Amino acid sequence: MTAPSAPVIDAEGVGKEFVLRRRTRGLRRAATRVPAVSEVSFTVRPGETVGYLGPNGAGKSTTLKMLVGILTPTAGRLRVAGLEPARQRTELAYRIGVVFGQRTTLWWDLPLRDSFALLRRMYRVPAAEHRARLEELVELLELAPFLATPVRQLSLGQRMRGDLTAALLHDPSLLVLDEPTIGLDVVSKAAVRDFLRRMNAERGTTILLTTHDLGDVERLCRRVMVIDHGRVAFDGDLAGLRALAPVPRTLVVDLAAPAPPIDVPGARVIRTDGPRQWLELAGNPAAVIARVSHDHEIADLTLREPDIEDVVTRLYRERPDPSAPAIAGDVRHNVE
Amino acid sequence: MGVYTSVFWHGLRRYATYRAATAAGILTNSVFGCVSAFVLIAVWEARPGLAGWDAADAVAFVFVAQALIGVVAPFGPSLEIGERIRTGDVAIDLIRPVALPAWWLAQDLGRAAFGAVFRGVPTFAVGALLFTLTLPDGPAQWLAFAAATLLAALVGFGLRYLYALSAFWVVDDRGVQAVAWLVGPFFSGMFLPLALFPEPLGAVLRALPWSAMVQVPAEVFLGDHTGAGLAAALGFQAAWAAALLLAGRALTATAVRRVVVQGG
Ligand SMILES: Nc1ncnc2c1ncn2[C@@H]1O[C@H](COP(=O)(O)OP(=O)(O)OP(=O)(O)O)[C@@H](O)[C@H]1O
Ligand SMILES: [Mg+2]
């Protein structure tokens, strides 16, 4: 075993408290403190792919903003690529690639190609190097047909691929992505995930991403961190998370006509809506499906995997006290 | 070519695509110029020699002022950075290895350069075709006017940058900008030469940065300043430009350090 390399991200008790100043009666001002992130500690080593998960408002984006240096932590110690992000923001910019899924780095009025050219000057990438990298990225992301298109005319999926290219043109060793697949269709999601996998496998790019899509995590992240109420609640792999907070699969049954709740062994009706019923599966889905279709006339059947939010919600129901210590998974120790 | 030069060209080319807006700008500025010219001609007929000018000087002032609109932007457009602060898109700007003020300055100078050539020159040409007006005496005075115009563009940017930065503190900078677009044209001498304002108001307005945007370059155009006076006029503009740009830089640093980027 080789000695573990220096961490790309090293967070120690990092916290962020927003202070909201509201005007109450007259000119008096009241300050409300919103603890968005409290005492988050973790390290990420080179080549890791980490999914940073949690429900809405958990503090994911806030953490990412601190990592890239655009928010200053109010507590703790943070190092990214050996730098202190908020203080060395500009220096750090050369070493990391960032995508905020909801915003674009590209210029609305410029053709993709010109946006990339502007970025080349910004990051001072030598022309030959830029050309080679751009060619590779354009091929991998199938961007060639859109290079001459102004960004405002691109679809969301095309734009996202443009943003990924933009984030990687200066060959960063760490890629930080906030909801990179938000709003994309199945095909675009798959393209983005495959691309990120390749970047990680072939170039060793370290990836930290937030998402609400279990598919992203399954396809991409060997490690997941779950935060809630600003604290790390779980750090391990996906299987560990599932084992810790098992969420049953759901069978959605569309009957030919409305009927009383279906009663079959190994399943429990949790919801009905006209002819549609939701069955929580405890046992083997095949047996339940066979039984249901034997007993009833069925128009349609869907088997639903629990999504990441369910798993996370369940995790919190099991561990309601947010000040309880985090549950550590196994991956933290064997990162290579 | 460095990044700021690229951004300058980007700013220039972006405005080059707004052809209809440019044509509309030339039309409005020319029409307004004509109306002002008629009014001022009447004023100078009643009181010849006012402000040391004759009617041809006053008409030249009017058209220089109109021609400068596309350069110093006293009515806006506001800098996009205000909007980006409000929506949180400034997060994107902050993760780039560039200096925010320099970036927006380069882009705005691109806009100003386009405005000078493709809006200012045609507007002034309309005035020169329709009226008798004073032109600079020789290349040295043209050169001085070019310098004054560049300094005016820097002052115009400096002010608009501060208006836009207010978004960091007031959440919505649009109120600030609405007031700015109202007072800017008056304070700069764009609507009426500052010489026509009653004292001491006129003297106060002359000392404020807005006068560096229109009043001073127009006076340089007319040859009101020569020798040391010219140096003082350009120095006045340069001092305001420097003060505003430094204030912009300092406030950017404070804002970035202290103020939170809005939105998730
Ligand atoms: N600029 C801000 N000012 C005040 N509070 C903020 C600010 N930004 C975020 N917060 C608060 O901090 C908490 C965490 O927000 P954050 O955006 O990090 O959540 P998130 O995990 O990214 O959620 P989502 O999944 O919805 O994107 C929320 O309670 C939010 O209201
Ligand atoms: Mg978020």
Side-chain angles (χ1 to χ4, degrees):
Chain A
M1 223 179 120
T2 52
S5 33
V8 184
I9 302 175
D10 189 359
E12 225 181 274
V14 168
K16 175 74 193 180
E17 194 174 65
F18 289 109
V19 180
L20 295 181
R21 291 205 172 75
R22 277 178 303 109
R23 224 167 242 155
T24 55
R25 270 172 297 140
L27 285 173
R28 226 177 274 162
R29 283 164 154 251
T32 328
R33 295 178 180 282
V34 183
V37 173
S38 29
E39 291 181 46
V40 165
S41 299
F42 65 94
T43 56
V44 174
R45 297 197 176 274
E48 278 198 275
T49 44
V50 183
Y52 196 65
L53 314 177
N56 290 128
K60 303 182 297 296
S61 299
T62 304
T63 308
L64 261 49
K65 284 178 186 166
M66 289 192 281
L67 290 178
V68 302
I70 56 179
L71 277 185
T72 314
T74 44
R77 211 186 61 96
L78 186 58
R79 291 248 146 201
V80 177
L83 302 170
E84 194 183 314
R87 246 180 10 90
Q88 297 168 292
R89 180 163 48 83
T90 313
E91 234 182 305
L92 183 61
Y94 288 105
R95 310 200 194 171
I96 61 174
V98 185
V99 175
F100 291 120
Q102 324 240 34
R103 313 183 188 279
T104 183
T105 357
L106 307 164
W107 287 268
W108 285 106
D109 55 324
L110 288 185
L112 264 186
R113 179 184 290 125
D114 294 10
S115 275
F116 296 151
L118 205 48
L119 286 164
R120 169 175 101 69
R121 305 215 183 273
M122 199 184 294
Y123 288 93
R124 297 181 205 156
V125 182
E129 209 173 298
H130 173 80
R131 212 172 307 118
R133 199 166 300 139
L134 183 60
E135 206 168 281
E136 183 194 348
L137 292 166
V138 163
E139 195 190 317
L140 281 175
L141 287 164
E142 295 170 19
L143 270 177
F146 317 111
L147 280 177
T149 314
V151 173
R152 67 184 129 78
Q153 290 170 18
L154 295 178
S155 77
L156 184 62
Q158 292 157 0
R159 197 217 80 198
M160 184 59 73
R161 286 183 272 153
D163 266 309
L164 281 170
T165 304
L168 285 160
L169 276 173
H170 56 288
D171 201 19
S173 55
L174 170 66
L175 200 50
V176 175
L177 310 151
D178 195 358
E179 307 197 36
T181 58
I182 191 165
L184 301 190
D185 67 18
V186 184
V187 181
S188 298
K189 272 184 185 171
V192 167
R193 289 169 189 161
D194 289 345
F195 171 75
L196 292 174
R197 272 166 71 99
R198 259 183 98 150
M199 282 294 125
N200 174 253
E202 290 172 13
R203 292 182 161 259
T205 309
T206 311
I207 297 175
L208 177 72
L209 63 86
T210 74
T211 182
H212 289 285
D213 188 324
L214 184 61
D216 291 346
V217 180
E218 282 180 332
R219 294 297 315 273
L220 216 62
C221 303
R222 286 190 294 274
R223 173 177 168 196
V224 278
M225 291 181 49
V226 179
I227 64 160
D228 191 72
H229 293 98
R231 285 164 193 279
V232 179
F234 175 84
D235 188 347
D237 64 6
L238 191 59
L241 179 61
R242 281 224 165 99
L244 201 72
V247 176
R249 283 184 283 191
T250 313
L251 186 67
V252 185
V253 182
D254 284 320
L255 299 169
I262 297 166
D263 182 21
V264 294
R268 188 170 64 89
V269 174
I270 50 171
R271 194 179 150 202
T272 63
D273 181 11
R276 177 172 288 190
Q277 302 198 3
W278 282 259
L279 280 73
E280 192 181 276
L281 298 177
N284 177 358
V288 174
I289 291 170
R291 186 65 190 269
V292 170
S293 47
H294 178 262
D295 292 356
H296 301 267
E297 195 181 326
I298 285 167
D300 197 9
L301 271 180
T302 354
L303 186 62
R304 266 216 204 129
E305 292 291 336
D307 68 34
I308 201 76
E309 300 307 295
D310 300 332
V311 178
V312 171
T313 311
R314 175 63 65 107
L315 184 67
Y316 278 89
R317 231 179 285 139
E318 317 276 291
R319 203 186 69 89
D321 176 8
S323 62
I327 304 154
D330 51 348
V331 167
R332 264 183 110 160
H333 317 291
N334 69 31
V335 274
E336 233 51 44
Chain B
M1 194 161 65
V3 60
Y4 299 110
T5 320
S6 304
V7 175
F8 171 87
W9 285 109
H10 169 217
L12 196 151
R13 273 190 307 166
R14 165 192 274 190
Y15 277 83
T17 57
Y18 303 150
R19 296 219 179 112
T22 305
I26 295 170
L27 186 69
T28 350
N29 297 160
S30 308
V31 169
F32 193 89
C34 291
V35 173
S36 288
F38 284 128
V39 172
L40 288 194
I41 287 169
V43 171
W44 257 263
E45 257 165 27
R47 298 191 47 195
L50 190 62
W53 294 343
D54 60 19
D57 291 336
V59 173
F61 182 99
V62 163
F63 280 96
V64 168
Q66 292 299 314
L68 282 172
I69 289 180
V71 182
V72 300
F75 308 97
S78 51
L79 292 167
E80 220 182 308
I81 184 174
E83 172 81 19
R84 292 180 71 80
I85 294 167
R86 213 179 316 122
T87 59
D89 279 347
V90 70
I92 297 285
D93 305 335
L94 292 178
I95 52 177
R96 292 176 174 156
V98 288
L100 224 47
W103 173 274
W104 292 103
L105 172 62
Q107 176 154 340
D108 196 54
L109 286 180
R111 178 204 59 75
F114 178 83
V117 176
F118 294 97
R119 233 178 106 172
V121 171
T123 300
F124 191 83
V126 170
L129 279 177
L130 299 181
F131 296 88
T132 311
L133 43 68
T134 311
L135 290 176
D137 271 341
Q141 204 172 317
W142 278 110
L143 205 66
F145 175 64
T149 303
L150 175 63
L151 290 168
L154 291 175
V155 171
F157 168 82
L159 284 169
R160 280 155 64 240
Y161 188 73
L162 292 181
Y163 304 157
L165 267 199
S166 69
F168 267 117
W169 287 274
V170 296
V171 178
D172 198 333
D173 58 309
R174 282 172 291 199
V176 175
Q177 312 227 15
V179 174
W181 306 152
L182 213 63
V183 303
F186 276 103
F187 287 13
S188 61
M190 171 132 298
F191 281 152
L192 205 59
L194 295 186
L196 301 189
F197 281 79
E199 295 306 328
L201 180 61
V204 171
L205 292 186
R206 280 172 175 282
L208 294 179
W210 288 274
S211 71
M213 290 162 60
V214 176
Q215 180 73 29
V216 176
E219 288 171 357
V220 170
F221 185 90
L222 292 174
D224 287 2
H225 305 285
T226 46
L230 178 61
L234 296 179
F236 170 78
Q237 287 184 295
W240 269 121
L244 292 167
L245 295 177
L246 287 174
R249 200 174 73 169
L251 281 177
T252 308
T254 317
V256 168
R257 215 173 21 246
R258 285 219 327 248
V259 184
V260 155
V261 176
Q262 302 290 324

